[in-house]
Amino acid sequence: MLTLSLWAAIGPLGFVARADETPRLTFAQLVDSIRANFGVTQAISSYNGREVEIQGFIIPAGPPDLSFFLLSRVSALGNYCCEVPVGQDETVYVFAPKGVTIAYDPLRVYKVRGAFEAGPHTDRIDGFSLFRVRNAQVEEAAGAQIFKLGETSAPTPQK
């Protein structure tokens, strides 16, 4: 009886905590949401105006303070071997309110959280975009670094 009472008391609290979590989108979801006429599916459009989180590589595209940049599935250092070039379906335009206070590294993965917008939009300054995140908070994604600059793994001689 005591176990059932504890479960009844804790159960709703656990549900509330999960309901408040920020949805995490992936580039695979964005790619899958594109229709032939550059429209987006209703599933992705349902995130319009909501706070979301997405991870990717920063590609500087605006002021040096990173108040505007592109977030991409691949690094700014180029597409990796055999990768298809990045298109609008794999790029998110990110707008930060006052600029980002992070150390930019083209080999690090960053986590972006902010108000999501999906659908074709043409801005006279920034051009055409399908996906945008406004009022963004940006931080390095913990544990997502590919490798550090200057580090190489040299083979060790066997004795």
Side-chain angles (χ1 to χ4, degrees), residues 12-159:
L13 294 176
F15 179 74
V16 171
R18 281 191 297 255
D20 291 342
E21 286 183 10
T22 301
R24 182 170 175 203
L25 297 179
T26 65
F27 282 98
Q29 288 172 293
L30 299 182
V31 170
D32 289 345
S33 76
I34 301 300
R35 296 187 179 156
N37 63 356
F38 283 110
V40 294
T41 62
Q42 194 163 10
I44 288 296
S45 293
S46 70
Y47 291 102
N48 273 336
R50 292 178 55 196
E51 183 174 279
V52 300
E53 180 181 296
I54 187 166
Q55 293 185 5
F57 293 94
I58 289 177
I59 300 175
D65 70 353
L66 293 178
S67 58
F68 169 70
F69 62 88
L70 306 179
L71 191 72
S72 176
R73 180 183 65 84
V74 296
S75 169
L77 293 181
N79 298 330
Y80 299 107
C81 176
C82 306
E83 290 275 345
V84 177
V86 176
Q88 286 294 325
D89 56 347
E90 296 178 337
T91 305
V92 177
Y93 284 44
V94 178
F95 302 88
K98 293 182 183 174
V100 179
T101 57
I102 57 169
Y104 166 68
D105 181 343
L107 300 176
R108 292 185 192 269
V109 176
Y110 293 90
K111 178 171 50 174
V112 173
R113 179 181 282 195
F116 184 71
E117 295 177 2
H121 177 74
T122 302
D123 183 274
R124 65 182 187 88
I125 296 171
D126 302 319
F128 178 79
S129 64
L130 286 174
F131 306 108
R132 294 156 304 283
V133 174
R134 299 200 185 266
N135 297 318
Q137 300 169 0
V138 182
E139 62 185 64
E140 185 179 330
Q145 181 177 351
I146 295 175
F147 56 89
K148 289 183 181 179
L149 289 174
E151 279 188 1
T152 58
S153 57
T156 55
Q158 294 185 357
K159 295 183 182 184

